[in-house]
Amino acid sequence: MKCSKPYFFLALLFMLCSTLPAQELTYDLSDYKARFERRPGMQLNFRSDFDGRYITNNKGSFDGDFGGFTNWFLNRNTDELISNWSITGSALLGRTQFMFLGSNRVDERDRYFLSVSLNLRQDRYQSPNQFWGYEIGFTGLESGTASSLPEQEDRTGRFGLNASLYKGTGRIEFAEDALLARWMLQDLQTAGVTSDYSAEDVQALAETITFIIGNRVFDFRRRRIYELEQLQQTLLERGVTGEESFLLFAVLNDNWAFANRATLTHGNRFAYGVQSEIRGNSLRESFFDTKTKRRFLDNTYGLFTEYTRSRIVKNNNGSNSFTARLDVNYYQEFEKFNSEDTENVSGGWQGIASLNYTRTWLPNSRTTFRWSNTLSYRRFLQSNYGIDRTGGAFFGNQFRDNFVSSLFVDYFVSYQWAFRLQAAAEAYHIPAQETGPFRERTFGFYPQIQFSTNYFFF
């Protein structure tokens, strides 16, 4: 019995030592709540296309365009305020030239497209779990086409203004900074810079990341030195590593330079309130000496309620998010043709119900997978709905059920530069109707695939 005591203490010491590297596993990313004063961002995306066809004794044909997209945003997330505002703009210029078969007539067409949108949303917390907020948005676009033969021209202008006022409970939190901290510490452990780390180390490093990530500016070189110094100082103060080294710098710089912009959410949020929307549309067409002009104006007023539940998955590298929303609105539609009087063409009540499920994976700091699924159900609550130009009773949208599934794959070349592959599919169903073009049950399916590259200035 006496000789068993050393073995007992050795076994106990082994168990204690074996739990040290596993202490980090007890850290739940759902416990992290990011708080930052400002987190700005600016994104640019350009595109250019050209398609030509040239034949002997023929003037030839071509189709080309050039355009760009920009987005500038500023987010805040403090104990008392969650604020998001953004400005988005795009422009596209194009020219087409082709010759009619069997003739010498050449048609040259110029086209353009301009758009701008502004959005502001704020949740103001009166207590840790109670808030009131508002959202304001504006969208405007202008597009047109001019043809040299025979003096044809058309222009379209649209605008939309929406606002909502609401109250609610709960809060959606973000934990991607804590995930980045775990990646840094795991890489440091793999490189042999540290033997182990604790959940408290993850928390401390995540708080440092949250503090400095919102201060990115155009002067990348000087800012990078300050940021890496802050990360390194946190690890030295925590005792994760005892001294500065090249491996420490390399691991921190690699993660900081190539960290992605994905979000990792958790929490619950319920809100209800009032909302309104005004949409306008102007169509102008010219054909020789004939000019026509049509104007449309749609007003919507109503109530809404929305619930969101988000959870981080067990392996701490992704999240599940579920959102349910119900809208009940009263709408009015007005139309004006040339100089005729404005006519109220329709009006009434409509109901919209929608469900969304989003799954996000972040297997590493370079790659993000996001799968989003939305099911929406829209019905007009009376039969005299008229012609809905915004998406259209004429096309059966007053009884349209939609399901949209989208898969996004983002690969981050660096913090500023990313590639995105998007594959999506939309399916819809329209029940049989007594009148109109949909007298039989109708199903539709629209697949889509898109590749883009985005550059963030900061």
Side-chain angles (χ1 to χ4, degrees):
M1 294 296 294
K2 291 183 180 181
C3 63
S4 64
K5 289 183 179 181
Y7 294 102
F8 171 78
F9 287 115
L10 286 175
L12 180 60
L13 180 62
F14 174 78
M15 293 176 61
L16 291 175
C17 294
S18 64
T19 60
L20 290 178
Q23 286 181 11
E24 189 278 328
L25 299 178
T26 63
Y27 183 78
D28 188 357
L29 295 184
S30 298
D31 295 333
Y32 191 74
K33 300 177 181 180
R35 296 294 183 266
F36 50 86
E37 284 291 336
R38 58 191 301 272
R39 188 164 291 187
M42 184 177 180
Q43 174 185 355
L44 290 178
N45 186 352
F46 294 101
R47 53 161 291 191
S48 179
D49 300 304
F50 180 83
D51 181 20
R53 182 182 181 187
Y54 299 92
I55 306 175
T56 305
N57 299 326
N58 192 301
K59 186 161 183 152
S61 62
F62 65 86
D63 184 12
D65 58 60
F66 175 79
F69 165 87
T70 182
N71 178 32
W72 184 22
F73 64 87
L74 177 64
N75 300 330
R76 296 182 61 193
N77 190 354
T78 65
D79 290 330
E80 297 80 18
L81 176 67
I82 298 179
S83 175
N84 310 99
W85 72 264
S86 65
I87 301 176
T88 302
S90 61
L92 177 68
L93 300 176
R95 185 177 179 85
T96 301
Q97 175 183 290
F98 64 92
M99 178 176 290
F100 292 95
L101 294 177
S103 69
N104 293 323
R105 293 190 308 167
V106 177
D107 190 5
E108 296 180 350
R109 297 182 181 181
D110 297 319
R111 60 185 180 274
Y112 70 93
F113 176 86
L114 303 171
S115 71
V116 62
S117 64
L118 299 89
N119 293 278
L120 170 63
R121 177 174 177 173
Q122 289 193 346
D123 291 353
R124 296 183 173 272
Y125 280 81
Q126 301 167 322
S127 66
N129 203 44
Q130 302 288 331
F131 67 89
W132 70 272
Y134 63 89
E135 183 174 5
I136 301 174
F138 170 80
T139 300
L141 65 88
E142 176 83 14
S143 63
T145 303
S147 175
S148 62
L149 195 160
E151 297 182 358
Q152 298 180 22
E153 181 181 357
D154 63 83
R155 297 175 62 187
T156 302
R158 297 178 182 176
F159 79 91
L161 179 64
N162 64 276
S164 61
L165 182 66
Y166 51 85
K167 291 189 65 176
T169 61
R171 184 167 184 152
I172 299 298
E173 303 285 358
F174 300 90
E176 59 269 17
D177 294 346
L179 181 59
L180 177 57
R182 288 184 67 242
W183 284 332
M184 288 182 175
L185 291 169
Q186 287 173 355
D187 289 351
L188 288 172
Q189 189 176 46
T190 302
V193 178
T194 179
S195 58
D196 57 73
Y197 55 93
S198 66
E200 291 75 14
D201 297 328
V202 179
Q203 176 75 23
L205 188 57
E207 291 176 353
T208 302
I209 293 172
T210 300
F211 174 74
I212 64 178
I213 200 173
N215 296 319
R216 295 189 183 262
V217 293
F218 283 106
D219 192 349
F220 298 119
R221 294 177 62 188
R222 295 183 179 179
R223 191 63 197 175
R224 177 66 59 80
I225 295 174
Y226 168 77
E227 292 163 346
L228 294 176
E229 285 179 345
Q230 295 297 309
L231 296 172
Q232 183 176 255
Q233 188 63 29
T234 299
L235 296 177
L236 292 173
E237 292 177 353
R238 295 288 308 174
V240 176
T241 180
E243 59 181 8
E244 299 180 9
S245 65
F246 172 78
L247 282 178
L248 174 61
F249 169 82
V251 170
L252 293 179
N253 183 69
D254 176 71
N255 280 273
W256 191 251
F258 300 102
N260 61 42
R261 288 180 175 267
T263 57
L264 194 63
T265 59
H266 62 92
N268 300 289
R269 184 182 185 275
F270 174 75
Y272 60 93
V274 296
Q275 61 184 355
S276 65
E277 184 176 11
I278 301 175
R279 289 175 291 185
N281 193 353
S282 176
L283 303 177
R284 288 157 288 182
E285 297 178 334
S286 298
F287 184 76
F288 288 105
D289 296 330
T290 303
K291 296 182 178 181
T292 60
K293 189 173 185 178
R294 301 179 66 185
R295 296 178 179 177
F296 310 103
L297 183 65
D298 305 326
N299 302 327
T300 303
Y301 316 91
L303 306 173
F304 77 93
T305 181
E306 183 180 66
Y307 173 72
T308 299
R309 176 184 175 88
S310 184
R311 291 290 181 269
I312 294 178
V313 297
K314 292 182 179 179
N315 56 3
N316 279 333
N317 68 345
S319 65
N320 294 306
S321 183
F322 171 81
T323 299
R325 183 182 174 102
L326 177 64
D327 299 77
V328 179
N329 300 315
Y330 182 80
Y331 70 97
Q332 294 176 305
E333 298 184 341
F334 301 91
E335 179 179 349
K336 181 178 177 63
F337 182 77
N338 287 340
S339 59
E340 297 178 0
D341 294 335
T342 302
E343 180 183 1
N344 187 351
V345 295
S346 66
W349 291 90
Q350 66 175 347
I352 304 173
S354 63
L355 300 174
N356 174 269
Y357 171 77
T358 301
R359 176 69 164 89
T360 302
W361 295 270
L362 293 97
N364 53 58
S365 62
R366 296 283 187 91
T367 311
T368 301
F369 298 90
R370 188 170 73 253
W371 184 36
S372 178
N373 302 274
T374 301
L375 175 65
S376 60
Y377 180 88
R378 177 186 180 190
R379 290 294 184 271
F380 282 80
L381 306 181
Q382 73 290 318
S383 59
N384 59 337
Y385 43 78
I387 301 300
D388 178 20
R389 297 170 306 279
T390 61
F394 180 80
F395 297 100
N397 276 9
Q398 77 281 14
F399 296 117
R400 186 165 178 166
D401 308 321
N402 280 67
F403 176 75
V404 180
S405 181
S406 302
L407 176 64
F408 302 88
V409 181
D410 289 333
Y411 179 78
F412 294 83
V413 181
S414 69
Y415 184 86
Q416 279 77 34
W417 189 17
F419 294 120
R420 166 170 288 189
L421 177 65
Q422 175 184 352
E426 177 183 359
Y428 70 85
H429 162 252
I430 302 176
Q433 303 171 36
E434 296 180 0
T435 60
F438 297 94
R439 298 191 179 187
E440 297 181 357
R441 185 186 299 268
T442 304
F443 296 91
F445 179 74
Y446 300 133
Q448 179 187 23
I449 187 168
Q450 183 182 50
F451 174 81
S452 62
T453 177
N454 301 320
Y455 189 86
F456 286 89
F457 268 92
F458 57 86

